[in-house]
Amino acid sequence: MDIVMGALNLCRPAGDPSASFFISTLTDGGSLTRGPAATCWHRGVAIATGIYIYTSASSAASFSSTADRFLDKAAASSGKNASTQSHAPLIIRASLLDSRRCSSTIILKNFVEEALTVLLKKMKTEEKTIPKVRIAVIGKSNVGKSALTVRYLTRRYIGEYRSNTDLLYRQILTINNTSLEVEIVDVCSCDLEAFPEEAIYWADAAIVVYDITCRTSFSQASDMLHKVLQLRPQMPTVLLGNKADLEHLRQVDQTEGRTIGIQNNCTFHEVSVAENSAAIYQSFDMVLNECRQSTQKTRKFSVSKMIGTLIGNVNPKVVPDTKQGGTVVVCHKSDLYKSRVLRRRQNFTATASL
Ligand SMILES: Nc1nc2c(ncn2[C@@H]2O[C@H](COP(=O)(O)OP(=O)(O)OP(=O)(O)O)[C@@H](O)[C@H]2O)c(=O)[nH]1
């Protein structure tokens, strides 16, 4: 073996702040001594995080010029200039290997370690600039909260969805050409006695949903909206009357919804998640935009967790979102955000007692 080369793509599920990595593509370019074999990895290079080129000592003389030539080709085939563009493949060229150690396992292991180190540094810098926004979707049981959340994030409609726990969705979205890490908690079956106070303290914005064919859900939404604004007076909120496609079953007039919206100083829309109303996207985008302007949070970054995940398992709950090219991670609400809730609760108590 004279020179070995290949391309590797290290992926991190877009919405997963634990920043797990997995190898999504590994293209083996083979040995350059086989000549045209190298062309077979051009497709892989186009999406590669890194490219490795190793050589044995016996080919040292020709290594440098050959490697440069192929790195140039790689940059050209990916349409990126490796040295100047931020999304260019991360190109790693290792030092010469002793021929005795030149096994493909060692090459790959070394390469992954190097790629990770450089990539983590790069991501640390980049991710510090991605703001995070959290939205709580609340409302009575069966009004369509899950269907609404999934519709917004994936553009898909799920007819039947049953869950007896709150769900947290995470995704990186691009809004107005800016990346935004979005977390949406879909609060399960809110009864007023069990108002989701914790979620409201946790969130940056709230979307309150009722069902236009269910008057009880409207009264509940109205009370919830009032409570939300009591707890978080400055919080961007939207009131949505869902199931507008069921006009023949309507129990709540549109003007009633509009009135409650005006009274609580929040945006109101009637929507149909089933029929994919444009107002769904307008509503989410509006609160995200509002929050983005006021929230510039950074995510916590765990290098050891990342490396651990690379060596260990790929997160089995990752569902690729083909429409937006992102990833939706569904996970059960955990204690992760307790400190944030507590901090906001304390702030509120302090403000209220002044
Ligand atoms: N006709 C119609 N049905 C809808 C619409 N949105 C949701 N549904 C249906 O309403 C039912 C409840 O939807 P979910 O999304 O599970 O409601 P939820 O508010 O999350 O319910 P909980 O999990 O119990 O809190 C499902 O059968 C959905 O198919 C809509 O726009 N139109």
Side-chain angles (χ1 to χ4, degrees), residues 12 26 77 95 98 106 133 136-137 150 194 208 217 231 234 238 254 263 274 289:
R12 181 178 53 82
L26 176 62
S77 70
S95 53
D98 184 287
I106 291 173
V133 175
V137 179
V150 173
V208 184
S217 76
L231 294 179
Q234 305 301 324
V238 173
Q254 189 165 5
Q263 281 170 359
N289 256 325

Side-chain angles (χ1 to χ4, degrees), residues 90-209:
L90 164 74
I91 295 188
I92 293 190
R93 192 187 331 153
S95 53
L96 302 181
L97 288 177
D98 184 287
S99 55
R100 278 168 295 138
R101 297 176 55 231
C102 201
S103 79
S104 53
T105 314
I106 291 173
I107 288 170
L108 182 59
K109 183 176 170 294
N110 289 347
F111 176 68
V112 169
E113 278 170 13
E114 283 183 66
L116 264 180
T117 309
V118 179
L119 191 62
L120 290 182
K121 272 190 200 150
K122 188 167 171 259
M123 285 177 60
K124 252 184 181 174
T125 317
E126 281 176 2
E127 289 183 356
K128 276 183 183 152
T129 65
I130 300 181
K132 184 189 248 183
V133 175
R134 295 163 164 118
I135 301 177
V137 179
I138 62 172
K140 192 183 181 304
S141 172
N142 217 39
V143 295
K145 299 181 296 294
S146 306
L148 174 80
T149 306
V150 173
R151 176 64 103 179
Y152 176 70
L153 290 175
T154 71
R155 309 303 197 245
R156 297 187 200 106
Y157 176 61
I158 38 166
E160 281 309 319
Y161 188 79
R162 280 281 157 264
S163 161
N164 55 7
T165 182
D166 297 354
L167 289 173
L168 186 66
Y169 297 77
R170 293 186 177 122
Q171 191 168 5
I172 304 273
L173 298 178
T174 304
I175 305 220
N176 290 344
N177 295 324
T178 311
S179 292
L180 206 56
E181 186 182 349
V182 179
E183 287 188 350
I184 304 179
V185 69
D186 165 13
V187 182
C188 119
S189 305
C190 308
D191 297 318
L192 261 192
E193 307 82 65
F195 178 78
E197 198 172 282
E198 194 175 69
I200 295 304
Y201 279 119
W202 168 84
D204 300 303
I207 296 193
V208 184
V209 189

